[in-house]
Amino acid sequence: MLSLRNVSVRLPKGAEREFALQDIDLDVAAGEILCVVGESGSGKSLTAMSILGLLPAPRVTLAGGTIAFEGEDLASLPPARLRAIRGKRIGMIFQEPMTALNPLMPVGRQIAEVLEEHARHLTRIMVLAQVQALLEEVGIPDPPGAARAYPHELSGGQRQRAMIAMALAMEPRLLIADEPTTALDVTTQARILALIKEIQARRGTGVLFITHDFGVVAEIADRVAVMQHGRIVETGPAAQVLGAPAHPYTRALVGAVPPLTPPARAATVPGADILVVEGLRKTYRTGSLFGRRRVVDAVQDVSFTLHKGETLGIVGESGSGKSTVARTLVKLLPADGGSIRLNGTEIRAASRAAFRPMTRHIQMVFQDPYASLNPRRRAGDLIAQGPRIHGASRAEARATAERMLALVGLDPASAGRFPHEFSGGQRQRIGLARALALEPSVLVADEPVSALDVSVQAQVLRLLAELKQRLSLSLVFITHDLRVAAQVCDRILVMYRGVVVEQGETAAIFAAPTHPYTRALLASVPGRGWAPPPAPVQESL
Amino acid sequence: MAQMGGGSAEDAARLRTQYGLDAGVAVQLGRYLLRLLTFDLGQSAIYGKPVASVIAERLAVTALFMSCALAFAFSAGLVLGVLAARRVNGWPDTVISTLGLVCYAIPSFWLGLMLIVLFSVKLAWLPPGGFESIGAGLTGLDRMLDIATHLVLPVLSLALIFLAIYLRLMRASMLEVMNLDFVRTARAKGLTEGRVLWRHVLRNALLPMVTFVGLQFSTMLGGSVVIESVFSLPGLGRLAFESVVQRDLNTLLGIVLVSAVLVIIVNFLVDILYARLDPRIGA
Amino acid sequence: MRTLRAYLRSPAGIIGAVLLVAVIAAALSADMLFPRDPMALAGRPLQWPGANPRVPLGTDNLGRDIAGFVCHGARVSLLIGLVASVVAVGIGVLVGAVAGFYGGWVDDLLMRITEAFQTVPNFILLLVLVAVFGSELGVITIAIGLVGWTAPCRLVRAEFLSLRSREFILAARGLGMRDAQLILGEVLPNALPPVIVYASVVMALAILLESALAFLGLSDPNIASWGNMIGAGRSVLRTEWYVSAIPGAAILVTVLAFSLVGHGLNDALNPRMQVL
């Protein structure tokens, strides 16, 4: 139905490569789901954009190739003809439903627009009825209410359902979905994936599904195309690509996906209690002295103990309070109640001045490698900052910085470079080195690998495990990704709406979750039935 | 920031918080009452009348003058900004943007004088000053037309610099909104370029403009002092000037209070308008 | 270096820099080219430009040499612009940094004060200050600075508010850094670029404010201010309009120079429109 042949897309001069896409060949048949999978910068999104002529012209342009769709070449159609196909015969869903919808227009109006544009014969009343039917079909609760609602009044999942309703309005033959579940929580993601699959099966629509997540691929793909640096390196049926990848790059990628089953761990005697948290509470109050007030109980009565040498995972979806817990542990946020004892010393109630010398014992690693390093400081200075604050001389601090760079696998000579001269994975290593330069006994890692591509993620996780062993660190590891949690954590804490609903040994919880929420969470992990074949480089477990 | 042309649609909400426009109606009203309580308008030294009545006599002229200038600056800035943004870096954009830069740098009182030289002295098209023809005894429509011809030059002089600000803000805001995801969605729906622009871009791009009307109103009111003096308009601004020259501090403080109240009222109206335009406010 | 190169890529920035250098050159060479007092009688009043080579731009109705007056006026304008914007940006950065960094009630209090300042139109506030404190050059300059601090303050506060929750600031705080060190060493350098850009706007506004004041005859009458001559020229506007036109053009060029430099700085320091 859709077939791309030799499609190339040119980038503006001065970009890191001349072509964003080179000689792309792709086919989507009616009634099948083709997943295009690749890491950031692979060109997978541009592939989707190029089909509908939505490339950010004039800077990025189609440089050649044909895009055959039901007997027409979309690459050479005049804009007006292409416009008649957009929304009518090809629908599209985007990644971030909050920004992909016009914030000033009710959702129903935005869906109606498609009908008004492409089905001019419909009367107003017919359009309204049609919008209701569509919203019903995508399973939005209270369709009449949702049609009147503005995007910000809906939840993330409902917004994405509205997006899907919009894309389906004209019953297109082809649906292009660009990372449609990436911005959603895992349980919502599972429901949206099920919806796409169900609609596709019912209507026989062809789906071109762009994603970076092999779990999602395993969940819904009929066929898979793997992209790297603007080229397709491997195409084939899902079972084959996921089970027995042929291309080395695919093998490396698939191998980097952490399996959902926790590795067997030798039963060890738990070390001494190093961090004891009891009854931790944090309430957010928004609104000023005069304005309206809103109160959110972000963390309610959280208690746990971290033993020496152990990795304790805190898992949960957005809004569960897991990041708030992390920040209160290092006193970046003041907790409202409870106690936090580090090596026997109460730090929750300590004043900021009294806590300052204690920061060297407990350090934090942040999520975003692009935002967590001061862009105006050199790597060496960033790492040396901690020791300097805690009294080291300039020379000592510099020596520490170089030692730390080597420790995290970076060239000590790169100490003079600025953060923007490093890749995302390298920056995360610098962030790690900065935290370790103080030789802390506890490391709090807040989603340290969530912003990284899967192959880089595997490297950083390996480094973290290795350092933990060597430096006998105790780790609090915050993550939303259960696959990562399964591999990294000795014990986990499951949080839901500010409350710990379950905690215990990772293997035990994964094998037999007791709380319904934990069960739902585990059941939502995409591709949970698929065990990635071991990577060529990964050590045997 | 907006003066630098860096305003944007998504900044609108932040700007509103930043400038305290998000405070509730009651709060703003309360602040106004508090100020009223602490000030006593008193007697005017030059006019020998209560300051309140002196100001009241002048208020209508200034109100009319300000609203004309604001309306002109806003609508012309909007249209030019949209035109410039539609063909960014094309010749209309270059011409409009250059014009905007120059307008921004022209001192308003000087522009007023030069307009008088051109349109009143050389061409004799428009009166050089005053609010209306005195002693002509005009009524109804004739009087309105008479006042309108008197207001053309002052409005142009005062509005041009604000026109330049709005035009730059609108252009920047349009460009920013055109890059947002929902505009891509609108295109993916197969809407025509005109509809994308009219239905999706324009209204979103308007939000920072509306915010700025409130923010700039105070500056505009300040500008009226000079322009009313240039064109001898019997308004509040001219009264302020006279009271400084005549050392009538009571009147001057009264003007301070009244202009502050005017600024608060305009910001209040802007808030209401903004809340109507943006459903996210007050949710 | 990178910033300089980026600046030179902006045509607006180059034109602005050229104009600004011209204005500065005029200011610096005023004493050399026109050693006489610019306020003194230079010849027969109201000579048209070009009529007498001794006074190339003519004389005004008080017999002052317009060319000399314009050059000396550049000094006054630049001086007032510079000092007033240092005052305005200085206060603005101080208040904005404290409010934005600490938030909470400190922020509430400081912002209420800023708001109160903002509800009064700044030119009217300037009139009040002049009426109360007089109109010497020093007073005028400080007064212009005082009415202009709110905008930079808001800007700095907004930058601080957004920066203080950024991860690299949290990381520095987590290392045990003190507040003063955090504000000066980590937050401020990252908050400065838009402030520097805005300083050029403040400078232009200060020049405009002073010239308007001088035009109304409310500025220091003993200094060669452009607005002063425009005001003097009003009485002969119908016939000898050049007396007002020439100093006005000087203001236009100077203000244009500052806003163009601002554009150049903006392109160089806040490269938002980057290629992919």
Side-chain angles (χ1 to χ4, degrees), chain C residues 121-229:
Chain C
N122 51 13
F123 196 75
I124 293 180
L125 188 60
L126 191 58
L127 289 184
V128 174
L129 291 176
V130 169
V132 174
F133 296 105
S135 57
E136 289 97 61
L137 181 61
V139 176
I140 297 268
T141 311
I142 303 288
I144 291 175
L146 279 179
V147 301
W149 65 275
T150 51
C153 170
R154 300 260 182 208
L155 187 67
V156 172
R157 172 180 174 265
E159 287 293 318
F160 265 68
L161 267 182
S162 88
L163 279 168
R164 72 171 184 160
S165 54
R166 292 271 290 280
E167 288 189 348
F168 73 87
I169 299 297
L170 294 179
R173 199 195 283 258
L175 291 174
M177 205 177 268
R178 284 164 200 283
D179 286 356
Q181 215 177 341
L182 266 177
I183 294 178
L184 296 175
E186 304 291 315
V187 190
L188 195 59
N190 286 290
L192 271 186
V195 179
I196 292 171
V197 172
Y198 194 76
S200 67
V201 177
V202 176
M203 200 100 78
L205 288 177
I207 291 172
L208 284 174
L209 276 178
E210 192 277 332
S211 64
L213 214 52
F215 167 75
L216 291 177
L218 300 175
S219 181
D220 194 333
N222 303 316
I223 55 160
S225 165
W226 290 331
N228 186 312
M229 183 174 270

Side-chain angles (χ1 to χ4, degrees), chain B residues 1 4 6 14 18-20 31 101 104-105 107 109-110 113 117 121 168 176 218 229-230 241 247 256 259-260 263, chain C residues 115 118-119 121 128 131 154 158 197-198 201 212 215-216 230 234 238 244-245 248 251 255-256 260 262-263 272:
Chain B
M1 191 174 52
M4 296 318 305
R14 191 172 53 77
Q18 206 188 113
Y19 287 86
R31 285 183 205 148
L101 267 170
Y104 183 65
F109 58 91
W110 180 74
L113 294 180
V117 170
V121 179
R168 267 195 263 174
E176 182 119 358
S218 147
S229 302
V230 170
F241 171 60
R247 307 249 144 223
V256 168
S259 48
V263 169
Chain C
E115 233 165 59
Q118 244 174 350
T119 35
V128 174
R154 300 260 182 208
V197 172
Y198 194 76
V201 177
F215 167 75
L216 291 177
I230 301 177
R234 264 180 94 179
R238 291 184 165 272
S244 292
I251 300 178
V255 173
L256 188 62
L260 287 173
H263 265 256
R272 269 216 268 179

